[in-house]
Structures are given as C-alpha cells and as structure tokens.
C-alpha cells in the first residue's frame, strides 16, 4: 500500500539534539523526528525505511532550477505521471512517498488516488480541478501586500462595471464593493493555472443590504513568436515571474524587532526549451517609457529545459506595461509583456517615477534604442510622468485599464441568492472555491478498505 504523506518526509534523527537554527528553517520536517530520536524508543528507530523519494539530482541539485524545487540546493522533485514507475518497480514495502504538489501536478495524485480508493462515478465534476487558498480575512488585511490589494480591488471594480453595463436596466445590478477582500484562491484545472478567485462583500448604491460575490479573473496571453525561427524553434515558452522577498529591517518607525517590514518584488525571466542544438540568445528588458532597462546574453545547451535570470534592477520599477524580448543577432524571436502594478494602496502616497536618472542598472542601454527600433522615448516618458501623478479615481481608472489588458473576468457568482438576477449561486458552479470538490469528500470505509 502506498500512502501520500501530507508534509515533506524527513529521515529520523539519531539520539542527539538538533541545532535550533535548523529546527527554525525546517521545523515541519524535523520536529517530530527529533522528538522520537530523543525518546525512550531511540534505539529501535529505523532510518530510511518504507518510503520512496523522487530524486532527480540533475534538476534538484542545481541552483538554476530553483523555480521548480524548494531552494537553491539538493531537493527532491515533485512526482509527475512519468515518475510513478519508480513506485511500481519497488520490491520492498512502501508506505510513504515524496514529494507531491497539486499546483505542480495534480494528475499524479489522481492516478494514485484511483489506484488506492477506486474510480469516481462517471460524470463526477471537478476531478481535474484544484483550489489553493492565498488569503482569508481572518488572517488580517496586513497579510495582503499593497500590490495584491491593488490588483484584487481592480478585479472587482472591472467586474461590477461590466455587470452594470450589461444590466443597465436592472437597478439591483448596480453594485459597489465594500471593504477589503474576504478571501483569495488560486484556481487550477488539468494542471493549468486558470486565474484568481476573489470573494468580497458588495451592496447596491442606495442600500444597506450586503451580499457576498466571488469573481474569477483569468490571465490573458501576452506571448508572441516571430515566424521562421529555425533553431529557435526550441523556444517553447517565455514568461516573467514576480519573486517577492521579505527584508529584515533594523527597528525604526513602524518596524519592530524581529519583524519583516519591507517586501521587495523582483522580476525573473524564465525561458522553456525543447532539446536541440546549442544556441546563444539575447534577452532585453524594456520599461513603459521605452527605456532599455537591461540586456544580457544566455547560453542554451542542447539538453537545457529551462534558462532564467533575474537582472539586479534598481528600484523603484516604473509602473505600467513592461516588455521582455528574446533576440537572435538583435532580431526579435519572441516577446512577452508583463505588468508592474501601479499602487493604489501605498499609505496614500503618490506613485513614484521610476529609478533615478532612468538607470535600472549601473550602465545605460540607451544606445540600444535605435538597434531595437523602439518608438521615440520622449512622448512615452511624458505619459509615464503624468501617470505617476495620478491619485484617487483617476489613478484607479489607469490601474483598471492596465489590469484589463492582462486579465479578463471569466465569471461571477454569489454565496446566496443575489439581488441581481443574472448572478448565479457559487455552489452551482464548477469553478468557484465554494463549488463541490469530490476529492475532499471522505465517506465510510468499505469492507475491502476502499472509500469509493
């Protein structure tokens, strides 16, 4: 029998105390093992028994793969369907396996679930769906960063504006958001990210009656490829991920001892490749004012699956639509756009204008503007500077126009019967975080040990 372990499995320690620093860093993986190792059962414990770990040191022990492993060091990979043969080929008893993560691959978990507990009934919905909680109001609004709060608020303004436009003759559909988001969930289907699910209270413009709605914000594709790529047909995907870091600050003003007080967002460009000939590509970053922020070359080996680099850009980043291009001998191969969110929540401070002197790095890339055939910089700079002075409703309108370029509202539902007749119940959908999820339902165990 194979059991899925709810947390990362870690080998048992011997009869000795463990460094407190290590306990702090990997407490969930070491606490119980340490307790057992220091108990009266210490001499009878067996290490490295009854489990299988999905080691792939080619991927798990190189820092360049840290976007798919836990940290920059040796870490097991998540099981995918092609890895399950490791379990099938075992000749010894196995009760635990690691690692499994639904956000990486739900299919592997579904295969094992079916093997252990039997098939779901035909037509069962949401078998391939997965929801991950990102925020609950009970956690406190303080756990939401300014960027996240700005985005979620914009999602709701766009949603309610669209509802009001489509139902202009129905007064009950003229709703306004109230307070802060109640919850935020990530929604995956068939191992693909489908967007954010944001729940918030709303009320009619002239009413005190509130109801709770949940929206589904879906990402828009912004990646484009040129034709006639030749050897660059190896390039399968280009995306920019925002990594956030909590900075330990010396106590000052609002910072208290042992508190992470500053969150810094760093963009990371990741390229996915198919096997093929060795090649060299140039990566160029362009900000909303057509300023070339960074340019560098990457060497792509024949068996490389991913390449990535995080340029050390000086902050603040100019808000608006950024572009990352992949070039071959200064000719565009692919291009992706991403959004640096202007803040509407930043202690009511006006937007910042970008880095001093328009230098994101210690060197200037101004000479590349003509090589890349970028539009004139001055008009774009004037627009960026005007936008940086926006506040209030004008600022919200600009944010909404940007967010609407990168996101589309897929659907809207209500936790109870809505005053707006076109808004259905969340429990009747297949996408809402409040919709049925058969994978989380447990019934009585049958005589053969199965639950289905």
């Amino acid at each position: 029998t194979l059991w899925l372990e709810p947390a990362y499995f870690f080998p048992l320690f011997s009869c000795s105390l463990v460094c407190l620093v290590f306990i702090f860093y990997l407490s969930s993986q070491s606490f119980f093992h340490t307790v057992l190792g220091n108990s009266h059962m210490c001499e009878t414990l067996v290490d490295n028994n009854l489990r299988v770990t999905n080691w792939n040191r080619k991927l798990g022990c190189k820092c360049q793969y840290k976007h798919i492993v836990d940290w920059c060091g040796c870490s097991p990979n998540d099981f995918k369907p092609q890895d399950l043969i490791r379990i099938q080929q075992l000749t010894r008893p196995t009760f635990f396996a690691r690692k499994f993560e639904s956000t990486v691959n739900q299919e592997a978990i579904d295969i094992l679930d079916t093997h252990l507990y039997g098939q779901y009934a035909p037509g069962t919905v949401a078998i391939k769906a997965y929801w991950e909680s990102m925020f609950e109001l009970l956690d406190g609004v303080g756990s939401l960063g300014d960027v996240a709060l700005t985005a979620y608020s914009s999602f709701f303004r766009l949603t309610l504006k669209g509802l009001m436009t489509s139902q202009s003759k129905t007064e009950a559909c003229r709703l306004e958001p109230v307070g802060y988001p109640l919850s935020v969930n990530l929604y995956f289907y068939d191992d693909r990210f489908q967007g954010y699910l944001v729940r918030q209270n709303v009320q009619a413009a002239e009413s005190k009656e509130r109801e709770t709605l949940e929206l589904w914000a879906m990402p828009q594709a912004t990646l484009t490829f040129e034709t006639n790529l030749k050897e660059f047909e190896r390039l399968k995907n280009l995306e920019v991920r925002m990594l956030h870091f909590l900075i330990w600050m010396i106590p000052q003003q609002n910072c208290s001892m042992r508190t992470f007080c500053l969150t810094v967002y760093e963009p990371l460009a990741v390229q996915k490749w198919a096997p093929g000939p060795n090649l060299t590509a140039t990566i160029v970053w362009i900000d909303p004012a057509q300023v070339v922020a960074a340019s560098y070359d990457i060497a792509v080996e024949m068996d490389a699956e991913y390449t990535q680099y995080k340029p050390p850009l000086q902050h603040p980043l100019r808000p608006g639509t950024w572009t990352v291009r992949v070039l071959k001998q200064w000719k565009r191969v692919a291009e992706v756009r991403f959004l640096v969110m202007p803040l509407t929540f930043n202690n009511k401070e006006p937007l910042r204008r970008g880095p001093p002197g328009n230098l994101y790095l210690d060197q200037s890339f101004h000479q590349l503007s003509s090589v890349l055939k970028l539009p004139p910089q001055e008009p774009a700079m004037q627009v960026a500077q005007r936008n940086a002075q926006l506040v209030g409703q004008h600022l919200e309108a600009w944010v909404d126009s940007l967010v609407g370029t990168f996101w589309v509202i897929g659907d809207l539902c209500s936790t109870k019967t809505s005053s707006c007749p076109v808004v259905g119940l969340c429990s009747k959908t297949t996408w809402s975080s409040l919709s049925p999820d058969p994978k989380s339902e447990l019934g009585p165990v049958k005589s053969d040990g199965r639950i289905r």
Side-chain angles (χ1 to χ4, degrees):
T1 302
L2 176 73
W3 291 10
L4 300 183
E5 186 191 10
Y8 301 134
F9 190 87
F10 201 82
L12 301 179
F13 289 102
S14 61
C15 302
S16 60
L17 294 178
V18 176
C19 175
L20 291 179
V21 175
F22 188 74
I23 291 289
F24 170 77
Y25 186 65
L26 295 172
S27 57
S28 64
Q29 303 183 32
S30 55
F31 175 78
F32 295 103
H33 315 78
T34 304
V35 171
L36 287 172
N38 287 278
S39 72
H40 65 279
M41 297 180 290
C42 176
E43 298 296 336
T44 61
L45 295 179
V46 179
D47 184 18
N48 197 24
N49 191 37
L50 304 179
R51 66 184 176 93
V52 59
T53 303
N54 188 27
W55 282 109
N56 185 345
R57 297 185 186 276
K58 180 180 178 181
L59 295 181
C61 292
K62 292 186 177 182
C63 293
Q64 64 262 39
Y65 295 107
K66 61 185 177 182
H67 61 288
I68 56 173
V69 296
D70 287 331
W71 54 294
C72 186
C74 282
S75 180
N77 293 122
D78 295 299
F79 270 97
K80 296 182 179 179
Q82 62 267 28
D83 301 316
L84 294 179
I85 191 173
R86 294 189 174 199
I87 297 172
Q88 299 167 350
Q89 291 178 338
L90 292 173
T91 58
R92 57 182 174 82
T94 303
F95 290 91
F96 298 95
R98 67 182 293 237
K99 299 181 313 186
F100 294 86
E101 291 188 67
S102 295
T103 55
V104 174
N105 191 271
Q106 174 77 31
E107 184 182 359
I109 299 176
D110 292 341
I111 292 173
L112 292 176
D113 181 85
T114 300
H115 171 71
L116 292 172
Y117 304 119
Q119 293 278 359
Y120 286 97
T124 303
V125 298
I127 298 300
K128 295 185 177 182
Y130 173 72
W131 296 264
E132 179 177 342
S133 176
M134 295 291 291
F135 168 76
E136 291 289 338
L137 189 58
L138 292 176
D139 300 334
V141 178
S143 62
L144 277 181
D146 289 332
V147 175
L149 193 54
T150 296
Y152 304 149
S153 300
S154 179
F155 289 159
F156 246 93
R157 288 195 301 269
L158 289 171
T159 300
L160 298 182
K161 181 179 179 180
L163 179 65
M164 184 174 60
T165 301
S166 63
Q167 305 295 319
S168 57
K169 297 181 179 180
T170 306
E171 189 66 24
C173 295
R174 300 176 64 86
L175 302 172
E176 296 178 351
V178 178
Y180 296 105
L182 301 176
S183 71
V184 179
N185 287 269
L186 301 182
Y187 176 43
F188 296 83
Y189 191 86
D190 198 17
D191 286 333
R192 296 178 183 272
F193 175 65
Q194 302 295 324
Y196 287 93
L197 307 180
V198 184
R199 201 182 312 155
Q200 188 166 346
N201 287 330
V202 299
Q203 67 182 34
E206 299 180 357
S207 172
K208 295 183 179 180
E209 294 294 326
R210 295 185 179 183
E211 57 184 281
T212 303
L213 302 183
E214 185 171 53
L215 63 84
W216 173 12
M218 304 168 59
Q220 294 271 63
T222 63
L223 174 62
T224 56
F225 288 93
E226 298 295 325
T227 58
N228 192 27
L229 297 178
K230 295 184 179 180
E231 70 267 26
F232 272 78
E233 289 181 351
R234 290 188 58 192
L235 182 62
K236 298 303 178 184
N237 192 33
L238 168 65
E239 62 179 333
V240 176
R241 303 173 182 176
M242 281 291 184
L243 306 179
H244 67 276
F245 301 92
L246 296 176
I247 307 300
W248 189 279
M249 300 290 289
I250 298 174
Q252 57 180 337
Q253 296 179 355
N254 296 328
C255 291
S256 59
M257 183 63 73
R258 297 182 181 180
T259 301
F260 290 112
C261 295
L262 178 63
T263 301
V264 177
Y265 288 86
E266 297 285 359
L268 170 74
V270 181
Q271 302 83 37
K272 183 177 181 180
W273 306 88
N278 293 346
L279 57 87
T280 299
T282 300
I283 312 296
V284 174
W285 297 62
I286 306 169
D287 89 342
Q290 303 302 316
V291 173
V292 179
S295 176
Y296 53 88
D297 292 338
I298 57 172
V300 186
E301 299 178 356
M302 60 185 304
D303 58 347
E305 184 178 2
Y306 289 95
T307 53
Q308 63 176 33
Y309 181 68
K310 177 176 66 64
L313 302 177
Q314 298 187 51
H315 285 252
L317 304 183
R318 179 169 283 112
T321 301
W322 282 61
T323 303
V324 172
R325 290 181 182 176
V326 176
L327 307 174
K328 173 191 176 183
Q329 297 177 348
W330 300 106
K331 292 184 178 179
R332 183 168 56 185
V333 173
E335 176 179 289
V336 67
R337 293 177 295 115
F338 70 98
L339 177 61
V340 173
M341 185 72 69
L343 297 182
T344 56
F345 291 87
N346 192 23
N347 297 322
K348 298 182 180 180
E349 293 290 334
L351 282 177
R352 295 170 291 184
R353 299 172 178 269
N358 287 319
L359 289 180
Y360 289 95
L361 298 176
D362 292 335
Q363 66 181 112
S364 172
F365 297 95
H366 179 71
Q367 71 277 9
L368 295 182
S369 297
S370 59
V371 177
L372 298 172
K373 299 180 180 179
L374 297 181
Q377 189 178 103
E378 186 60 29
M381 184 68 70
Q382 292 176 358
V383 172
Q385 291 176 345
R386 285 198 300 269
N387 288 336
Q389 302 302 313
L390 298 176
V391 294
Q393 293 183 350
H394 296 292
L395 171 58
E396 292 180 352
W398 179 45
V399 171
D400 292 349
S401 67
L402 291 171
V403 172
T405 302
F406 291 87
W407 299 84
V408 62
I409 304 304
D411 209 344
L412 179 69
C413 66
S414 178
T415 58
K416 61 180 182 180
T417 302
S418 174
S419 59
C420 181
V422 298
V423 179
L425 288 171
C426 293
S427 59
K428 300 296 184 181
T429 71
T430 59
W431 57 266
S432 169
S433 62
L434 300 175
S435 61
D437 181 11
K439 300 185 295 303
S440 63
E441 299 172 356
L442 296 177
V445 180
K446 299 179 181 180
S447 58
D448 60 359
R450 294 179 176 267
I451 60 176
R452 287 192 294 273

